[in-house]
Amino acid sequence: GESVGLHLPTLSVQEGDNSIINCAYSNSASDYFIWYKQESGKGPQFIIDIRSNMDKRQGQRVTVLLNKTVKHLSLQIAATQPGDSAVYFCAEEGYGSAGNNRKLIWGLGTSLAVNP
Amino acid sequence: EAGVAQSPRYKIIEKRQSVAFWCNPISGHATLYWYQQILGQGPKLLIQFQNNGVVDDSQLPKDRFSAERLKGVDSTLKIQPAKLEDSAVYLCASRLGADIYTEAFFGQGTRLTVV
């Protein structure tokens, strides 16, 4: 779903199922993408990243897919566990319009709830 | 490796008062960010330092917010005077370099409540 104001999109899954969290990014010049996990009361924590010269990257239980044609990024979590419950943010990075410094732009976030 | 340290963890102040937050980044990290995160939203960049120079402060409300990074290491963020809408979590993050494809590491944040 769409996020409006304070309402984060929420994904609810059963423990053991696979989760897919989607993100649309805005800048076609972005060349680096990062997924972060944020648990309640904590700062964001790095999960996985991908550069624009790749379309897939795998980590432990997580896979990031990048589709540059439609500017879409997804995070797949295999065998979702209760500890995966958190808010997930995607972030994109590229050079600004002036071409001088790199800007890290954050998405709105998706809340993942894992039901035991 | 030690992470990004922030203090205090929590702060409650009255509107129009002043407040300061402190951040000690990971050793050797040239890039330091201050973010404001309002409940239910993603982090909003306030200011980005590269060593002790400001790279981006376009979203910093300069009439009330200020930040400095002494000697390119620790940083402080100050709000003077605070408004009710400043209630948020203030996150500090550091990174090896903004032009390197590496992630930013975040501190626990300081939760500010303005009453």
Side-chain angles (χ1 to χ4, degrees):
Chain A
E2 295 283 331
S3 66
V4 178
L6 298 179
H7 300 284
L8 287 173
T10 299
L11 176 64
S12 185
V13 301
Q14 289 297 123
E15 181 178 356
D17 286 354
N18 296 332
S19 302
I20 300 176
I21 300 171
N22 296 304
C23 176
Y25 64 92
S26 57
N27 184 6
S28 56
S30 292
D31 59 10
Y32 182 55
F33 305 88
I34 315 170
W35 279 101
Y36 284 91
K37 171 186 179 183
Q38 187 173 27
E39 296 174 279
S40 181
K42 296 184 178 180
Q45 178 185 12
F46 170 85
I47 303 173
I48 192 167
D49 59 0
I50 188 168
R51 293 180 64 170
S52 59
N53 60 353
M54 302 174 70
D55 53 22
K56 180 179 180 179
R57 189 157 189 234
Q58 288 184 291
Q60 186 177 12
R61 284 203 306 120
V62 294
T63 301
V64 55
L65 299 177
L66 175 63
N67 185 331
K68 295 182 286 294
T69 303
V70 295
K71 293 192 288 187
H72 183 268
L73 195 66
S74 69
L75 176 70
Q76 299 178 1
I77 304 174
T80 313
Q81 301 169 1
D84 295 327
S85 294
V87 176
Y88 289 80
F89 292 98
C90 65
E92 59 177 300
E93 186 176 60
Y95 286 97
S97 55
N100 46 8
N101 63 280
R102 294 176 66 79
K103 288 184 174 291
L104 187 64
I105 301 170
W106 290 74
L108 293 175
T110 296
S111 177
L112 176 66
V114 181
N115 305 311
Chain B
E1 143 182 294
V4 176
Q6 287 189 249
S7 67
R9 283 284 280 131
Y10 305 94
K11 190 75 178 179
I12 300 174
I13 62 172
E14 295 182 348
K15 59 183 179 183
R16 290 186 289 275
Q17 284 188 323
S18 302
V19 65
F21 312 126
W22 173 82
C23 173
N24 178 234
I26 293 173
S27 177
H29 281 197
T31 303
L32 185 146
Y33 306 87
W34 280 104
Y35 287 92
Q36 180 193 60
Q37 187 174 29
I38 292 172
L39 183 65
Q41 299 182 19
K44 170 191 166 186
L45 179 68
L46 293 175
I47 190 166
Q48 176 182 342
F49 291 95
Q50 182 75 12
N51 297 308
N52 61 348
V54 175
V55 172
D56 185 353
D57 63 357
S58 57
Q59 298 192 87
L60 186 73
K62 298 180 187 64
D63 58 334
R64 298 185 300 107
F65 286 64
S66 64
E68 59 181 6
R69 188 180 184 194
L70 299 174
K71 299 179 181 179
V73 182
D74 291 4
S75 178
T76 55
L77 176 70
K78 296 179 182 177
I79 307 175
Q80 180 180 7
K83 293 185 175 181
L84 295 176
E85 58 261 35
D86 297 332
S87 294
V89 175
Y90 290 84
L91 294 163
C92 179
S94 73
R95 198 172 180 190
L96 193 60
D99 57 347
I100 299 171
Y101 297 103
T102 60
E103 73 271 25
F105 293 83
F106 284 81
Q108 293 269 55
T110 296
R111 181 177 296 278
L112 173 68
T113 302
V114 182
V115 298

